């Protein structure tokens, strides 16, 4: 065993190459089945973590992925996470909210889905606390469960809408706008919960941390954003280095520095990456051309692998732990679909469009995984709760595309129906 461990420890690039190749293969396999590639990448983390551990045993698993290698994978994964959130911030587009009907419908759908899903998630969290997370603070755990079930994964939702040809439909447009609003609400609520659950949870401590957060957002919007734009223009005109190279260096530095600042004020580095992307969203074309592919292929897989390698299935042996999976899944699906459907109908959307939007909003995927990792890192949830909520995120994402295709077969095509309604609203 010592010889085997020495072999793998001496070949860190072997493990990294395995992760990248496995992520691409699983992503391609899921894509062939009509699913999003990111689900395959998430599954790789589970396969390399709990599944490989159960198959090989603890000693062999430690030999293949020794502690030193895991630390390197986790570091690369954290960098990948910050840059991934940076990309999400770059692609945030508020143009969909310019149309009054779309903006009002999206706001209604987002609010309806968040309120009902949060309430049901918090209720299940309250009932499951003593079983799944007795060592975690009750308030933080309960509120976090509500947030976890309220999230909609905007990047995965956009990919599904594109694959189904719904990008120019009312259902697709409202879905994208509502998902963006939902994610903003989710991150704001998560920030508040982290502040409330910090080690200094006194009223003074909470107010101090909230003050730091608000101060950073104000400085970022009205101080850092104009400065970055001025630097971009200056470097493009006066630097001997190609403008694209300087722009990439500036964007990378901004993303990492914002991640560092949010960590200093007691938040997660992922939030800093998101804010940095929002600040520099006018530069998205440069990033897409030079960096996005590398981040998605060369860094993000390490984030999912590190997440999987940290999982501990030992606490999931009792049957009642798995019964909570059904409870979380039911609360997630019912909260999102019913809340968004009713809100869509109240906002004046047709039955068919409201139904399609409700199914789309049940997509959790990538953003949910990130939020769950933040909760785990911040001590808001246990390993058991993390794994169960991870399964819910994967299941609700996998069911989105088949359900939309089924709706298209059993009733009017969502895309055609939605396009007609969009044209009517424009007139």
């Amino acid at each position: 065993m010592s010889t085997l461990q020495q072999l793998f420890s001496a070949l860190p690039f072997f493990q990294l190459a395995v992760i990248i190749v496995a992520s691409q293969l699983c992503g391609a396999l899921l894509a062939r089945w009509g699913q999003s590639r990111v689900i395959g990448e998430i599954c790789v983390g589970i396969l390399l973590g709990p599944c490989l551990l159960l198959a090989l045993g603890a000693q062999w698993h430690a030999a293949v992925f020794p502690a030193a290698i895991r630390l390197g994978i986790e570091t690369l994964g954290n960098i990948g996470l910050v840059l991934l959130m940076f990309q999400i911030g770059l692609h945030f587009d508020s143009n969909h909210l310019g149309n009054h009907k779309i903006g009002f419908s999206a706001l209604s759908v987002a609010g309806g889905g968040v309120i009902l899903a949060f309430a049901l998630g918090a209720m299940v969290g309250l009932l499951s606390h003593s079983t799944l997370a007795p060592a975690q603070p009750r308030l933080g755990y309960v509120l976090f469960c509500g947030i976890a079930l309220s999230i909609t994964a905007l990047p995965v939702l956009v990919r599904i809408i594109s694959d189904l040809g719904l990008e120019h439909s009312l259902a697709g447009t409202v879905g994208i706008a509502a998902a963006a609003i939902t994610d903003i609400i989710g991150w704001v609520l998560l920030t508040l919960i982290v502040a409330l659950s910090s080690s200094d949870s006194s009223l003074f401590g909470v107010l101090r941390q909230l003050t730091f957060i608000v101060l950073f957002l104000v400085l970022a919007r009205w101080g850092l954003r104009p400065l970055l734009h001025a630097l971009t223009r200056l470097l493009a005109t006066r630097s001997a280095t190609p403008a694209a190279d300087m722009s990439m260096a500036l964007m990378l530095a901004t993303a990492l520095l914002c991640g560092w600042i949010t960590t200093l004020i007691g938040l997660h580095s992922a939030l800093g990456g998101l804010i940095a992307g929002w600040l520099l969203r006018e530069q998205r074309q440069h990033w897409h051309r030079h960096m996005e592919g590398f981040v998605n292929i060369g860094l993000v897989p390490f984030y999912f692998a590190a997440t999987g390698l940290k999982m501990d299935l030992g606490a999931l042996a009792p049957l009642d732990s798995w019964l909570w999976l059904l409870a979380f899944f039911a609360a997630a699906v019912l909260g999102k679909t019913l809340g968004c459907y009713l809100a869509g109908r109240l906002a004046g959307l047709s039955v068919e469009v409201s139904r399609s939007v409700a199914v789309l909003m049940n997509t959790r995927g990538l953003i949910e995984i990130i939020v769950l990792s933040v909760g785990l890192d911040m001590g808001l949830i246990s390993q058991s709760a993390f794994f169960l909520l991870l399964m819910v995120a994967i299941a609700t994402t996998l069911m989105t595309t088949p359900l939309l295709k089924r709706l298209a077969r059993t009733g009017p095509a969502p895309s055609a129906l939605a396009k007609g309604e969009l044209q009517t609203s424009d007139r």
Side-chain angles (χ1 to χ4, degrees), residues 96-117:
H96 295 299
L97 303 179
N99 182 293
H100 175 72
K101 178 178 177 61
I102 293 174
F104 176 73
S105 299
L107 189 60
S108 301
V109 168
V114 168
I115 291 172
L116 186 56

Side-chain angles (χ1 to χ4, degrees), residues 11-32:
L11 295 173
F13 299 116
F14 170 78
Q15 288 92 337
L16 301 182
V18 166
I19 292 171
I20 292 177
V21 173
S23 297
Q24 292 304 303
L25 290 177
C26 282
L29 181 62
L30 267 292
R32 287 181 61 87

Side-chain angles (χ1 to χ4, degrees), residues 325-337:
L325 173 62
L326 299 178
F328 276 122
F329 178 77
V333 175
L334 183 64
K336 271 296 180 183
T337 55

Side-chain angles (χ1 to χ4, degrees), residues 127-343:
L127 296 174
S128 65
H129 177 262
S130 60
T131 302
L132 296 179
Q136 273 64 39
R138 180 186 293 271
L139 179 61
Y141 172 76
V142 170
L143 294 178
F144 183 85
C145 288
I147 289 179
L149 299 194
S150 304
I151 293 297
T152 295
L154 179 60
V156 179
L157 181 141
V158 170
R159 179 61 181 270
I160 291 173
I161 287 174
S162 177
D163 290 343
L164 296 178
L166 294 171
E167 57 265 39
H168 300 298
S169 69
L170 182 57
T173 305
V174 171
I176 291 173
I181 295 171
T182 299
D183 286 349
I184 292 173
I185 295 173
W187 280 105
V188 170
L189 291 176
L190 181 61
T191 300
L192 294 175
I193 291 174
V194 169
L196 289 171
S197 305
S198 62
S199 56
D200 183 8
S201 57
S202 63
L203 179 60
F204 174 76
V206 172
L207 291 177
R208 183 182 60 186
Q209 191 166 25
L210 291 178
T211 301
F212 286 150
I213 295 168
V214 172
L215 182 62
F216 173 62
L217 291 175
V218 170
L219 291 176
R221 171 61 181 86
W222 283 281
L224 186 58
R225 180 175 164 84
L227 177 62
L228 290 173
H229 288 179
L231 282 175
T232 301
R233 291 192 298 268
L234 180 64
L235 292 173
T237 57
R238 297 190 178 183
S239 175
T241 307
D245 293 348
M246 297 303 299
S247 178
M248 289 304 98
L250 183 63
M251 295 172 84
L252 277 170
T254 303
L256 297 175
L257 285 174
C258 285
W260 173 65
I261 292 173
T262 52
T263 303
L264 285 180
I265 61 178
L267 302 176
H268 199 276
S269 57
L271 182 61
L274 184 68
I275 294 172
W278 174 71
L279 294 175
L280 291 169
R281 58 189 182 277
E282 289 82 3
Q283 307 294 323
R284 66 172 68 95
Q285 293 302 326
H286 289 296
W287 183 271
H288 175 72
R289 190 179 306 115
H290 298 282
M291 288 293 297
E292 192 163 320
F294 171 72
V295 171
N296 291 337
I297 297 174
L299 288 176
V300 173
F302 299 125
Y303 164 69
F304 293 122
T307 301
L309 290 172
K310 289 189 294 185
M311 289 183 189
D312 180 14
L313 298 186
L316 292 175
L319 178 62
D320 57 352
S321 296
W322 291 96
L323 292 177
W324 287 116
L325 173 62
L326 299 178
F328 276 122
F329 178 77
V333 175
L334 183 64
K336 271 296 180 183
T337 55
L338 183 60
C340 293
Y341 175 80
L342 293 177

